[in-house]
Amino acid sequence: MLVRGRQGTYWLGPRIASFAADARLSDHHALTFGALIPNTGNAYYDVLLAAAEADVEASGGRLIVHDAGDDAVRQRHQWTELLGLGADVVLVDAVETSGYEDLVQASHDRGLPVVAIGTRIDGADVAVTSDNIQAGLLSAAALLSRLPDDSHVAILDGLGKNANAERISGFRDALRDHPQVHLVAHERGGADDVESGRRATRRLIDDHPGLSGIFAVCDPLALGAAEALRDLGRTMAITAVDGLAGAVELIDAGGPILATSAQDPAHLARTALTIARQLHDGTTPRQRVVSLPVRLVTAADSQGYSPWG
């Protein structure tokens, strides 16, 4: 199991850590993985870390987890701390897209591979992400199919990270083929969570009372938007990205969330760990960016989808 320490640090419990120390003598894959995560309170990271923990435990390794609380400055400090904790590989899902180049270099100076997971950062050996542009395209297509001509839509954004930016890029690409639908606002929630989505949606409704649809970069923001609409007695179409169970429940209930582009955080974790071991062994990756496919979940096909979270 994961044990929580001070200042958002977690590690595998003493019994497992002791086993890992013994196993490392005979298994070169019994490595210590340092994981830098934006916020373990997000269900996406619960699923990702559970899969990572199971994978690392099975190999006799050790997993150290730092929770940044969606704070980029704190994440930088945690990365520096991680370099002194004996990690063999750094796994990082960055709070922001830029500003980590010096820490990537510091890791490389110590001989540590850096694998970006979920979002890309400059200098990482490999990035393992969902196909975020495709996620935005699929979500846009679902939203546009439900809106009449001359509708007004808005983007509900979160953390300033590459993954969110790519989803928005995909959404905007889809809108270019539908000039009859007007993008009137791009509101940043500040974090990828329900409360941020609720507050940002209230601002959107105040500023754009004629709004017809919202694209949210992640399901927690979409769930917050749905709560805000309920509180205000409003209805409109929402689509998003993630595949979270709570979003799928609203899709099945008829809205206001109508679709989500589903990613697979457990598969992301296992893929990143496989590549991390290969890098540690000196294998040069064939791809610097590994994009895992996403799928659109709507009421028409949700019964064939297993939601997470």
Side-chain angles (χ1 to χ4, degrees), residues 233-309:
R234 290 287 304 270
T235 180
M236 72 177 65
I238 303 171
T239 63
V241 176
D242 263 338
L244 187 62
V248 176
E249 288 175 7
L250 287 184
I251 290 170
D252 286 339
I257 300 177
L258 302 179
T260 180
S261 295
Q263 55 181 341
D264 187 342
H267 188 31
L268 278 167
R270 290 189 291 267
T271 302
L273 287 168
T274 296
I275 292 171
R277 292 186 179 100
Q278 293 169 349
L279 288 167
H280 184 268
D281 289 347
T283 301
T284 300
R286 290 181 296 176
Q287 298 172 261
R288 296 295 299 274
V289 178
V290 177
S291 294
L292 303 184
V294 297
R295 58 163 291 186
L296 189 69
V297 179
T298 66
D301 61 6
S302 65
Q303 298 306 310
Y305 171 69
S306 298
W308 48 265

Side-chain angles (χ1 to χ4, degrees), residues 155-161 164 168 186-191 196 200 203:
I155 293 168
L156 182 51
D157 201 354
L159 292 173
K161 56 195 299 184
N164 289 344
I168 290 168
H186 181 162
E187 186 74 27
R188 187 176 294 279
S196 294
R203 293 195 297 270

